[in-house]
Amino acid sequence: MPSVFLQGRPVDSYPPLAPEARRGSVRRITEVGEEVLHKPCRDVTEFGPDLAALIDDMFLTMYVADGAGLAANQVGVGLRLFVYDCPDDDGVRHVGHIVNPVLEQLDPAGRRLLDESEGCLSVPGATMAVPRPDLAVVRGLDKDGEPVVIEGTGYFARCLAHETDHVNGHVYLDRLSKRERKDALRQVVDRREEVFARRAAKTAALSG
């Protein structure tokens, strides 16, 4: 089994940070409650340098925040797009981006729900158990408009489902009970300052 899949395809080796990040600039990450996170994003219809530059910025912003995935509306852009650099439960690394992602509806008989811890860069500092299928298949396009199909299991499946939720205007808090949501928001109050200090330090390190 290859140790890295890039855009769903195995590669022999890959650097610790995706090359896109070296070209990108850090953007502010939006937070729960901001309108752009809570409405469906628009389809990407223009493929070119502006889209590529956005992807570059999203990769760097994701790394600065120690994230496994980041959707465009998390940097304030209401387009259907996300980037990811995420391991699965077997330790295989998956790196790439998906434009106009659609999560396939899989046969419930062929999947398991895993109730495991989940966080979100737009809900800084909070983690809660969220049930997700252990398998996810997302279809979409790459930055050049070519079709891609990305399949994930375990933690990577969770990442794919989580990021597709984002482009559909949902955050993981929407999947929680009222009591659980309150608990998550209390965690944000307690930990937000610490999270932002870590991000500032990481920004300085990656910019040095």
Side-chain angles (χ1 to χ4, degrees):
M1 169 73 75
S3 60
V4 182
F5 280 78
L6 177 64
Q7 292 295 115
R9 296 176 180 172
V11 293
D12 292 331
S13 63
Y14 202 71
L17 300 182
E20 289 92 337
R22 298 299 179 193
R23 302 189 294 264
S25 300
V26 176
R27 299 200 186 195
R28 175 184 169 272
I29 296 177
T30 53
E31 293 186 54
V32 62
E34 295 184 43
E35 185 180 4
V36 71
L37 288 174
H38 301 283
K39 61 181 183 180
C41 295
R42 307 183 308 279
D43 278 347
V44 173
T45 56
E46 295 184 16
F47 296 81
D50 288 348
L51 180 63
L54 173 59
I55 290 170
D56 293 346
D57 291 355
M58 288 170 64
F59 265 107
L60 181 58
T61 303
M62 176 180 70
Y63 289 136
V64 161
D66 288 320
L70 186 73
N73 58 353
Q74 291 183 275
V75 293
V77 180
L79 291 175
R80 294 182 63 84
L81 160 69
F82 67 81
V83 301
Y84 60 89
D85 189 339
C86 182
D88 61 25
D89 288 357
D90 295 318
V92 177
R93 181 183 174 199
H94 299 266
V95 186
H97 65 272
I98 309 181
V99 178
N100 298 340
V102 176
L103 184 67
E104 279 196 5
Q105 298 303 309
L106 303 177
D107 182 358
R111 63 181 189 178
R112 292 183 303 140
L113 276 183
L114 301 179
D115 198 15
E116 295 181 350
S117 181
E118 192 165 321
C120 178
L121 301 183
S122 293
V123 190
T127 56
M128 298 292 293
V130 182
R132 299 272 192 188
D134 65 345
L135 173 65
V137 178
V138 177
R139 296 181 181 274
L141 305 170
D142 67 13
K143 62 183 175 61
D144 301 313
E146 297 298 320
V148 292
V149 180
I150 307 297
E151 182 173 320
T153 58
Y155 184 66
F156 183 45
R158 179 173 296 274
C159 173
L160 291 173
H162 179 111
E163 300 305 331
T164 306
D165 267 0
H166 271 305
V167 302
N168 292 329
H170 302 296
V171 295
Y172 84 92
L173 299 186
D174 299 335
R175 296 182 174 272
L176 303 179
S177 68
K178 284 186 178 179
R179 176 183 290 180
E180 291 168 333
R181 183 184 173 95
K182 278 187 177 180
D183 183 8
L185 293 175
R186 274 196 298 268
Q187 291 181 46
V188 172
V189 172
D190 292 342
R191 301 173 185 168
R192 183 175 182 275
E193 197 169 305
E194 176 189 336
V195 169
F196 277 77
R198 283 201 307 269
R199 290 181 187 177
K202 193 75 175 282
T203 300
L206 289 178
S207 300

